[in-house]
Amino acid sequence: ETTTFVLLLGATDNADAASALIAKYAAADLDAALANIAAHWEDVVGSVQVTTPDRAMDIMLNGWLLYQTLACRMWARTAFYQASGAYGFRDQLQDSMALVNARPDLTREHILRAASRQFVEGDVQHWWLPQRGVGVRTRISDDTVWLSYCVLHYIKGTGDMGILDAQVPFIEGQALQPGEHDSFYQPNISEKSATLYDHCVLGLERNTARGEHGLPLFGTGDWNDGMNRVGEAGKGESVWLAWFLYATLAAFEPVALARGDRKRAAQWRKSRAGLQKALEEHGWDGQWYRRGFFDDGSPLGSAQNAECRIDSIAQSWSVISNAAAPDRAAQALDEAFNQLVRPEDGVAMLFTPPFDTSLPDPGYVKAYPPGIRENGGQYTHGVIWAIFAHAKLGQADRAAAMFSLINPINHARNETEARRYRVEPYVIAADVYSVAPNTGRGGWTWYTGASGWMYRAGIEAILGIVREGDRLVIKPCVPASWEEYSVSIQYKSTRYDIMLRRGSIASATLDALVTAVSPAEYVVKLEDRGGEIRLSIPLEASAASAPESAGPQQSVA
């Protein structure tokens, strides 16, 4: 005999709604209800499916990473290690970028939601609780730039320029007082509103102030919130923010020109030139780029530092931003790989050595034990940017090896690895510890912005699949050992099945849809013809590959 028991677990706003929900499912065909849920998730994660020689990569890209991003980061905004339900301004903007292919409606919706948490002065709530809008106002410097960066990514992926004209209200509240790092309160919805374009511009222009080295001010955090004392006096500067701001201004300049905003575009061009000059004169440390400068003018992320001598994100973004001298950027990324990636421990560190006793005090990051979380551990969110940088330089083997190193599946392939890693092997961990006795142990799983970036690193940076409105740009950066891989993409009612294979394919199938930009780059025109379209495209070797491996890349059954 077989008996099925069904347990209902749910949550609603009140007892009446709970009773109605129970009554609904008590009378429902529960098998059909479960099938509907499965179909929903298949529609989301099935929007892009891949088959590569790396089975562990396939498992993460074909479901888990997108599920973690949407279910945990966008919807629940809570998990075992952090239970708040709050929206983080920069956090969920970055998460939403991974949804442009699968759920662009959610990306658009969240962009407008985030813009509505901007004060009339241009700064924003660093995080807020959606029920009443209560949240924290800070001096963290990078938040406002992420709004423009995310908007640009959404427009590029969807072609929806109309979002820039959406009217979004501001919020109003007590400004921070001198010496006040942050303030937690419920602001008022302002009667003043502006287009999303104007919200973006206002946010970018919050970062016009420069320090004595000509770099943007660090504030009480410039992405790494734990470095909240580097620039608390208003003089510390950020090299990383300079790269990020440069990249965003460069990408936003054509948008300004298209709207006839020539004066502002010219100002941004001048600002970028100043940033580039300051970065090369004061950011370069001799072998890599510094992380920034403390309020007292002493460097951070320099060879002269006993702690935090080299920081990953300053090197990665020197490449990603296109702002650095090419030879320096390549050298800096090479130094980061050699000093921060430890294949034998399964760790790629955010920086090294960890903070412990050195001065000046960088902030609460130093309160973490050495090698834990942002303090010199593998803080996965930032480390993933190195994958984009290696791919941008054509270093296919390093890009894929770092993906494999970070991939949680490869941390639990046997009992010994699983006992060391200790956390779920199917979702990204925010950090992996780098100091004994906890070396290789994962922490803070599920609730991490690393999941969305890891998804994009695999799809966009390595497999080279980038959606641009009604076309698909394909520019692979895969290991030389890969003979082929395939990508299946849903475009409206049409399924595009694309096979990339090394060998003598004379031309891509359906020439009318495919344009060869170069032997290593193709553009596929997306048309909604219904049914299935199969394409075969030649797979060329990447321009460059690094000989070293960042860890095991065995296939997983």
Side-chain angles (χ1 to χ4, degrees):
E1 181 181 19
T2 300
T3 301
T4 300
F5 292 88
V6 177
L7 306 180
L8 302 181
L9 179 66
T12 59
D13 292 334
N14 54 61
D16 290 341
S19 296
L21 194 61
I22 292 169
K24 172 185 175 181
Y25 283 101
D29 180 342
L30 297 180
D31 289 336
L34 185 60
N36 287 338
I37 293 172
H40 162 79
W41 282 109
E42 179 60 32
D43 183 55
V44 172
V45 302
S47 59
V48 178
Q49 291 283 290
V50 307
T51 303
T52 77
D54 185 345
R55 175 61 176 150
M57 174 184 280
D58 296 351
I59 292 170
M60 298 306 293
L61 292 181
N62 289 338
W64 280 110
L65 289 172
L66 211 55
Y67 176 78
Q68 181 178 352
T69 301
L70 181 54
C72 180
R73 292 286 296 182
M74 293 297 295
W75 285 345
R77 300 184 305 282
T78 190
F80 303 120
Y81 294 84
Q82 181 174 345
S84 71
Y87 285 103
F89 192 89
R90 74 156 88 93
D91 298 337
Q92 272 67 52
L93 277 173
Q94 291 174 79
D95 297 330
S96 74
M97 294 169 72
L99 300 173
V100 166
N101 284 323
R103 291 294 305 270
D105 57 316
L106 295 182
T107 307
R108 190 183 202 277
E109 175 185 297
H110 185 68
I111 286 172
L112 299 178
R113 178 188 294 121
S116 72
R117 309 317 297 177
Q118 184 178 39
F119 290 97
V120 292
E121 294 86 356
D123 59 324
V124 302
Q125 285 182 304
H126 185 58
W127 58 262
W128 74 93
L129 295 163
Q131 291 80 1
R132 295 186 297 125
V134 63
V136 63
R137 190 173 194 173
T138 73
R139 299 187 190 277
I140 290 172
S141 55
D142 69 316
D143 275 331
T144 58
V145 186
W146 283 110
L147 178 62
S148 300
Y149 191 84
C150 181
V151 167
L152 288 164
H153 177 76
Y154 169 79
I155 292 174
K156 180 181 179 181
T158 65
D160 178 16
M161 293 290 289
I163 192 175
L164 292 169
D165 294 312
Q167 285 286 326
V168 183
F170 291 95
I171 53 176
E172 297 178 345
Q174 176 66 45
L176 295 176
Q177 301 303 303
E180 188 177 22
H181 279 204
D182 52 59
S183 181
F184 178 76
Y185 63 89
Q186 182 177 343
N188 298 316
I189 305 298
S190 175
E191 294 183 0
K192 182 180 179 181
S193 65
T195 64
L196 178 63
Y197 174 78
D198 289 330
H199 277 269
C200 290
V201 167
L202 186 59
L204 289 172
E205 295 187 343
R206 285 286 297 185
N207 277 287
T208 56
R210 301 287 181 263
E212 65 173 305
H213 298 97
L215 299 168
L217 298 180
F218 206 109
T220 54
D222 71 337
W223 173 79
N224 191 331
D225 290 356
M227 294 182 174
N228 60 314
R229 296 193 189 97
V230 173
E232 64 177 342
K235 296 181 180 180
E237 299 164 272
S238 171
V239 168
W240 172 80
L241 183 56
W243 298 128
F244 181 47
L245 185 58
Y246 180 100
T248 307
L249 289 174
F252 222 82
E253 185 180 314
V255 175
L257 289 172
R259 297 177 71 88
D261 201 348
R262 298 180 181 278
K263 181 179 179 181
R264 184 165 281 117
Q267 291 172 342
W268 290 346
R269 200 173 307 120
K270 182 179 179 181
S271 178
R272 286 195 295 115
L275 286 173
Q276 197 168 32
K277 183 174 184 292
L279 282 161
E280 296 300 354
E281 288 185 0
H282 303 292
W284 183 246
D285 194 60
Q287 294 177 285
W288 58 81
Y289 286 99
R290 296 165 177 157
R291 181 65 171 80
F293 293 90
F294 288 92
D295 284 318
D296 66 1
S298 59
L300 171 66
S302 165
Q304 63 185 274
N305 294 129
E307 298 169 359
C308 190
R309 185 176 60 247
I310 180 172
D311 189 294
S312 176
I313 67 173
Q315 320 318 317
S316 297
W317 278 85
S318 73
V319 176
I320 296 169
S321 67
N322 288 322
D327 56 339
R328 284 184 172 182
Q331 180 181 345
L333 190 63
D334 192 57
E335 289 288 347
F337 184 89
N338 291 332
Q339 295 192 46
L340 298 173
V341 178
R342 298 201 326 234
E344 67 280 5
D345 293 326
V347 172
M349 297 174 290
L350 184 64
F351 60 77
T352 195
F355 290 111
D356 191 11
T357 62
S358 67
L359 294 173
D361 182 3
Y364 76 78
V365 63
K366 193 175 176 181
Y368 290 122
I372 304 295
R373 290 188 60 73
E374 294 102 320
N375 192 14
Q378 176 186 290
Y379 197 68
T380 314
H381 183 154
V383 169
I384 288 172
W385 289 333
I387 298 175
F388 287 84
H390 286 298
K392 192 174 181 68
L393 294 184
Q395 297 174 352
D397 289 343
R398 279 190 175 177
M402 284 200 69
F403 189 99
S404 180
L405 180 77
I406 295 170
N407 191 329
I409 292 174
N410 292 330
H411 288 263
R413 294 164 302 178
N414 55 54
E415 184 177 354
T416 300
E417 291 179 347
R419 287 185 178 277
R420 180 174 72 168
Y421 192 51
R422 296 197 184 186
V423 293
E424 304 95 325
Y426 45 84
V427 291
I428 293 292
D431 56 311
V432 181
Y433 309 156
S434 66
V435 173
N438 297 308
T439 303
R441 179 174 178 176
W444 203 283
T445 56
W446 283 103
Y447 196 70
T448 166
S451 60
W453 279 108
M454 187 73 165
Y455 180 76
R456 291 187 57 203
I459 298 293
E460 298 174 27
I462 296 176
L463 302 185
I465 307 297
V466 178
R467 171 85 175 271
E468 295 183 356
D470 61 354
R471 68 180 203 155
L472 206 62
V473 178
I474 303 178
K475 191 176 181 180
C477 187
V478 300
S481 61
W482 286 21
E483 290 299 320
E484 64 180 36
Y485 70 93
S486 64
V487 181
S488 180
I489 296 177
Q490 188 70 35
Y491 177 71
K492 299 181 180 179
S493 66
T494 306
R495 192 79 185 178
Y496 280 77
D497 292 323
I498 304 169
M499 171 62 75
L500 293 99
R501 181 183 292 117
R502 300 194 195 278
S504 56
I505 300 176
S507 62
T509 311
L510 289 180
D511 289 349
L513 293 179
V514 181
T515 302
V517 179
S518 74
E521 180 177 354
Y522 288 82
V523 173
V524 176
K525 184 179 180 182
L526 298 174
E527 294 181 356
D528 190 20
R529 299 181 177 183
E532 186 177 280
I533 294 176
R534 294 182 179 274
L535 301 172
S536 294
I537 294 177
L539 176 61
E540 294 292 324
S542 300
S545 293
E548 298 89 350
S549 171
Q553 299 183 65
Q554 295 97 324
S555 295
V556 175

